[in-house]
Amino acid sequence: MEFTIIDYSIFVLLLVLSSAIGLFYALSGDRQRTVQEFLLANRNMSCLPVALSLLATFQSAVAILGVPAEIYRFGTEYWFLGCSYLLGLLIPAHVFIPVFYRLRITSTYEYLELRFNKTVRVFGTVTFIFQMVIYMGVVLYAPALALNAVTGFDLWSAVLTMGLVCTLYTTLGGLKAVIWTDVFQTVVMLAGQLAVIVVGAQRVGGMARVWRLAQQEGKVSGIDLDPDPFQRYTFWTLAMGGVFMMLSLYGVNQAQVQRYLSARSEREAKLSCYAVFPCQQLVLCLSCLTGLVMFVYDREHPLAPARRPSSSDQLVLYFVMDVLQDLPGLPGLFVACLFSGSLSTISSAFNSLATVTMEDLVRPRCPGLSEARATLLSKLLALGYGLLCLGMAYVSSMMGPVLQAAISIFGMVGGPLLGLFCLGMFFPCANPTGAIVGLLAGLAMAFWVGIGSLLQAGGAAGGAPPPNSTALAPYGNLTTILATTLLAPTSPPPRGLQKFYNLSYMWYSAHNSTTVILVGLLVSLLTGPTPAEAVDPRTIYPVLPRLLCCLPHKYRGGLCCRGGSPAQVGDPTPMPSGGEGAGGQCPPHAPPIALSPQDSKSKGVANGLGPPAPPEPGDEGQGYIRRAGTPTYALQETSF
């Protein structure tokens, strides 16, 4: 179908307003003259815009197209992914946010240097850059390709328009412009999806009839408690495997952590994480209802065989254009919804890439860089990554069958990075050698399973996958951009190591992060655990002391990792007088001494980090004290 003037006007209005927000923040306030304002919005954002930006960052156009198609094909089992959102957002709020926020860092990977050393930081940074550079090209190109196939919308006009507009407002307005455009684009996304559901349900007799017919056709799934991790979707796969996927996105990903760090206080950062939960549930609900409406509508108004979509990524667009074709403006609203998803995701990629490049690669090598030059360089990095994104979109167009592999790399890398941060944060005994070897082992495992799945799928005969398999359909499905899906066929039955190629993609993050932790701990123990006195207590979260808090002290101390004492990692038991560790679990150490000026510089980070954030009301007694002239640490009733 052809777009009308009204449809084009709505689409243009989206682009104009997004650019206007960027220009507004480029010309208001301090006019993005400092690195902190450009990269962290002056650490002055409230919880609501941060929450909506967190939601928009990974609610990409690929997800808007993919999730309804997944429901259309496999039923509502995917809806149980919402069960993972609770832990997937509570853990970041109470574990990752307090640690990152109190360190006053800008890049997530600064944490790795504070906890391990500079080499681990560089490994983490390079891995993240590799992940995001490939991701942003695909997320720009793939929706434009699907839109072009269905509507005739010019492919490269769409790609160039989105890429240039996004580069403009990200470069001029910094993180504050990115967050507020995310808020605006979130509203557009919700409006577009809601319009499709309302009009589509009305065309088939109402939502009650949609649900009844979907139930009769077996598309409304019950709870499948099968623990088999090789089944595509079960309750455990979605509710538990999904937690690790959420943690890799909302716990340690730079694009999300940067938003937490832009909040005006730790409390606001936590509230933004809480606020994402109902928003995520709403978005999941809208996507699933779109899939059900699409299924019933297709049964009652089937397309002619010549017009059937050749790819599952086009299902939603064919449905939308058929349902909304006689309602001027609504097709344009949905296209604006689709492009909003792309813009919000790509702008976050630009900003986070500029941040890690500046803070992790440039500043440590140019310690004398002035604030003005650093700000200008940050803007040039954002501009450079914007142009690189357009180049990667062109590369994506040349990939052909390799495109699915490029999409899956995003999820392949997310799990190992999660494992690296968990290794450092939860296990004081882990050392830098263990961290690097663990990360490399996790990446090797991820690529082995992922590429093996691709090769096995490529060698298998075509045909539709069974309803609950992990098979890759003969047409590429982009639903799983956020996690990774190189899905292997189930016929003939796999044997031996090939069984791993059928692992449900929802377990990929859990599998790969666990590999990093296990290998990292083993190598750390073999090469010598990190001494307790060498661990900065601000970088540790006391997961083992908290999990074992009900055991007697003598057993609790034996089960805790010996690389660092529970007193250092914030055992809730107050430290008794006489120098004995908390609860008698750790060796005695010298009484704490106040920091000397020359020791106030953060461990290993060029130019040092800012001092820890001043405690918020109710947080008295939290903090650390370091012995003058030595790296020994002790805690005073820290709530870590």
Side-chain angles (χ1 to χ4, degrees):
M1 62 170 286
E2 295 294 330
F3 271 27
T4 65
I5 296 297
I6 299 177
D7 296 319
Y8 279 112
S9 299
I10 292 175
F11 176 62
V12 170
L13 185 62
L14 166 74
L15 300 177
V16 170
L17 290 177
S18 297
S19 301
I21 292 173
L23 290 171
F24 174 78
Y25 285 106
L27 300 174
S28 63
D30 292 333
R31 300 188 179 185
Q32 311 300 318
R33 289 175 180 168
T34 65
V35 172
Q36 178 161 282
E37 184 181 15
F38 185 73
L39 298 180
L40 289 176
N42 266 341
R43 298 185 189 265
N44 196 34
M45 299 300 297
S46 58
C47 66
L48 184 58
V50 171
L52 292 178
S53 182
L54 288 169
L55 174 69
T57 297
F58 286 106
Q59 179 63 14
S60 68
V62 178
I64 293 172
L65 294 176
V67 175
E70 198 77 359
I71 299 298
Y72 176 92
R73 296 171 60 208
F74 299 108
T76 59
E77 190 79 39
Y78 186 86
W79 212 327
F80 289 109
L81 180 64
C83 298
S84 71
Y85 292 170
L86 183 62
L87 280 178
L89 291 167
L90 280 179
I91 292 175
H94 291 276
V95 176
F96 294 107
I97 288 178
V99 173
F100 291 144
Y101 199 92
R102 294 172 195 181
L103 287 174
R104 305 294 289 179
I105 58 179
T106 300
S107 163
T108 318
Y109 303 97
E110 291 178 61
Y111 166 86
L112 295 179
E113 184 171 352
L114 288 169
R115 174 61 182 86
F116 296 113
N117 61 22
K118 189 173 296 184
T119 305
V120 180
R121 177 182 183 179
V122 172
F123 267 84
T125 300
V126 171
T127 303
F128 173 76
I129 291 174
F130 171 72
Q131 174 194 32
M132 294 301 288
V133 164
I134 292 179
Y135 167 67
M136 65 184 184
V138 172
V139 84
L140 176 62
Y141 173 74
L145 180 64
L147 191 66
N148 168 260
V150 175
T151 67
F153 205 98
D154 185 71
L155 173 63
W156 289 106
S157 294
V159 169
L160 288 172
T161 301
M162 280 193 296
L164 293 175
V165 167
C166 190
T167 302
L168 174 69
Y169 72 73
T170 304
T171 303
L172 295 179
L175 182 63
K176 189 171 287 188
V178 171
I179 289 176
W180 282 109
T181 51
D182 283 351
V183 172
F184 165 62
Q185 289 157 6
T186 299
V187 173
V188 174
M189 283 190 277
L190 295 177
Q193 289 179 292
L194 193 61
V196 170
I197 294 172
V198 170
V199 175
Q202 185 182 23
R203 296 286 171 89
V204 294
M207 188 54 69
R209 186 165 182 270
V210 167
W211 189 266
R212 185 172 65 254
L213 292 178
Q215 205 166 24
Q216 291 172 3
E217 294 287 339
K219 289 295 180 181
V220 178
S221 307
I223 299 179
D224 182 1
L225 296 177
D226 186 352
D228 184 3
F230 301 101
Q231 291 292 317
R232 182 182 182 86
Y233 295 136
T234 67
F235 176 79
W236 301 114
T237 295
L238 292 160
M240 301 307 297
V243 170
F244 288 86
M245 184 187 75
M246 291 289 292
L247 290 179
S248 69
L249 297 176
Y250 286 90
V252 301
N253 188 282
Q254 171 66 27
Q256 304 292 59
V257 173
Q258 200 167 335
R259 279 149 180 75
Y260 302 143
L261 298 176
S262 71
R264 61 170 62 107
S265 67
E266 183 182 321
R267 179 175 177 272
E268 293 280 341
K270 287 182 177 180
L271 286 176
S272 69
C273 210
Y274 299 152
V276 173
F277 177 74
C279 297
Q280 283 278 23
Q281 296 289 357
L282 174 62
V283 167
L284 180 63
C285 180
L286 290 176
S287 296
C288 292
L289 290 177
T290 301
L292 291 180
V293 171
M294 185 167 66
F295 174 80
V296 174
Y297 185 88
D298 186 55
R299 290 295 177 273
E300 299 196 352
H301 305 85
L303 292 171
R307 294 185 60 203
R308 299 295 297 180
S310 59
S311 167
S312 61
D313 313 318
Q314 301 172 6
L315 285 170
V316 175
L317 285 168
Y318 270 102
F319 163 66
V320 167
M321 296 309 160
D322 197 42
V323 167
L324 303 180
Q325 60 183 334
D326 55 345
L327 297 172
L330 288 187
L333 176 62
F334 187 79
V335 170
C337 159
L338 201 61
F339 279 32
S340 292
S342 286
L343 288 170
S344 61
T345 304
I346 298 165
S347 62
S348 300
F350 294 170
N351 196 263
S352 60
L353 284 168
T355 301
V356 299
T357 304
M358 184 66 205
E359 297 297 322
D360 299 325
L361 301 180
V362 176
R363 272 193 188 274
R365 286 156 182 79
C366 304
L369 201 63
S370 68
E371 186 70 16
R373 286 181 178 273
T375 304
L376 176 61
L377 185 54
S378 298
K379 294 180 179 181
L380 291 176
L381 285 170
L383 174 63
Y385 278 117
L387 299 178
L388 179 60
C389 176
L390 293 174
M392 289 304 300
Y394 178 75
V395 172
S396 299
S397 71
M398 307 297 290
M399 282 182 173
V402 186
L403 179 61
Q404 181 70 28
I407 292 169
S408 299
I409 286 173
F410 181 81
M412 287 182 190
V413 175
L417 284 177
L418 171 65
L420 180 62
F421 281 93
C422 290
L423 177 68
M425 205 169 288
F426 302 150
F427 300 95
C429 59
N431 64 22
T433 304
I436 292 173
V437 175
L439 176 62
L440 295 177
L443 290 171
M445 178 68 73
F447 281 94
W448 169 53
V449 175
I451 295 176
S453 300
L454 176 66
L455 295 177
Q456 184 169 304
N468 198 30
S469 75
T470 57
L472 177 66
Y475 35 82
N477 182 10
L478 302 182
T479 303
T480 53
I481 182 90
L482 299 186
T484 186
T485 63
L486 287 179
L487 309 176
T490 58
S491 179
R495 298 178 181 178
L497 291 177
Q498 289 188 344
K499 182 78 170 175
F500 279 105
Y501 301 155
N502 275 48
L503 184 69
S504 173
Y505 72 88
M506 296 301 296
W507 285 110
Y508 273 32
S509 287
H511 178 246
N512 299 332
S513 59
T514 302
T515 299
V516 175
I517 293 172
L518 293 179
V519 173
L521 285 176
L522 179 61
V523 172
S524 295
L525 294 175
L526 291 176
T527 57
T530 300
E533 61 273 10
V535 179
D536 185 339
R538 299 173 301 160
T539 63
I540 301 295
Y541 185 86
V543 63
L544 286 179
R546 289 177 186 271
L547 291 176
L548 304 175
C549 62
C550 296
L551 294 178
H553 291 162
K554 59 180 179 179
Y555 299 119
R556 201 190 322 173
L559 291 173
C560 286
C561 186
R562 288 294 184 182
S565 69
Q568 288 177 315
V569 295
D571 187 273
T573 308
M575 184 179 293
S577 60
E580 186 180 2
Q585 299 176 40
C586 60
H589 46 72
I593 297 177
L595 280 170
S596 65
Q598 55 264 48
D599 283 332
S600 63
K601 187 174 180 180
S602 292
K603 173 177 140 187
V605 179
N607 296 332
L609 297 176
E616 297 181 45
D619 287 345
E620 291 82 357
Q622 300 174 2
Y624 70 97
I625 298 178
R626 182 161 63 179
R627 173 183 293 277
T630 73
T632 303
Y633 297 86
L635 282 185
Q636 287 186 327
E637 298 186 36
T638 177
S639 68
F640 273 3

